[in-house]
Amino acid sequence: MTATDTAPDPVRATLDKATSENFPVAPFFLPRTWRDDLMAVYGFARLVDDIGDGDLAPGGADARVLGVSPAGSEDRLALLDAFEADLRRVFDGTPRHPLLRRLQPTVRRRSLTPEPFLGLIAANRQDQLVTRYETYDDLLAYCELSANPVGRLVLAVTGTATPERIRLSDAICTALQIVEHLQDVAEDLGRDRIYLPAADMKRFHVQESDLSAKTASASVRALVAYEAQRARDLLNEGAPLVGSVHGRLKLLLAGFVAGGRAAIRAIAAAEYDVLPGPPRPGKVQLLREAGVILRGEG
């Protein structure tokens, strides 16, 4: 067996991460073409995040495919530049990376535009240059790049985008991003990133050093609870999106909202102590939340 035979498959290594997300990416009940297209979009979004976080599969296969030299394979900005160049080939040529070749038929079939994909790349560039956010509005501007394009792509793939649905989707996606930040405070700090707004930290008398403790102080818990309520309010604002569609798409969008609400409940159940590790909801809680949403009770 050669080294090539044992090297990780960059496509499978990326797509397998779908099972660990807070929300269903492409559940079985969707039409096959939707599932294929949503997984193609997910593959792009997951890979660009992995580049930005330095979480690519070992061995440098992604860098080689993108034409980045071994010397530059650890340079995240260089990798993002190469990835953007390859993304542009999706729209006017033949991309190099297999995940982008997988995306190309989806782009053509659904008449997708480059803007949401470029937004996700821009968010990961920003992660290399900006590691602190002064205000909540600053964080929302980041989420406009890092999260909202995903919801817009879901609406585009399913042919259901309208201005009002995009507005509601943006609220849901921003909420999901904030929830993820709350779950990953310790992990993000390990990357020298803090997504808790500095103004809020000051308000709750939280120092950066408090976030490196093994367990959260009362002040940190109060801060996390405050940000969790903001995320909950955004989910409630966006929830009418579920009722605006029908059939299987309604189930998918209910799953997104339910995933966020269940994650917030898990954070609350941990008494807002997110520092030992990310509180994760169980499947029963997720299904319960989805049922409440589909019954129109929340």
Side-chain angles (χ1 to χ4, degrees), residues 41 91 103 106-114 116-117 153 156-157:
V41 168
F91 295 89
L103 178 65
T106 293
V107 164
R108 291 173 175 170
R109 184 163 47 241
R110 306 299 179 183
S111 300
L112 303 182
T113 63
F117 300 104
L153 284 166
V157 163

Side-chain angles (χ1 to χ4, degrees), residues 48-49 52-53 119-149 173-174 177-178 180-181 188 193-196:
V48 72
D49 278 355
D53 290 341
L120 294 172
I121 293 174
N124 279 275
R125 276 205 190 92
Q126 187 165 313
D127 276 334
Q128 313 313 309
L129 305 171
V130 180
T131 60
R132 306 290 189 275
Y133 291 85
E134 182 62 30
T135 68
Y136 182 61
D137 285 344
D138 292 338
L139 184 64
L140 293 181
Y142 169 75
C143 292
E144 178 69 23
L145 296 173
S146 69
N148 298 359
C173 290
T174 291
Q177 180 74 88
I178 291 172
E180 184 177 337
H181 288 159
D188 290 334
R193 298 179 192 164
I194 297 176
Y195 294 101
L196 298 167

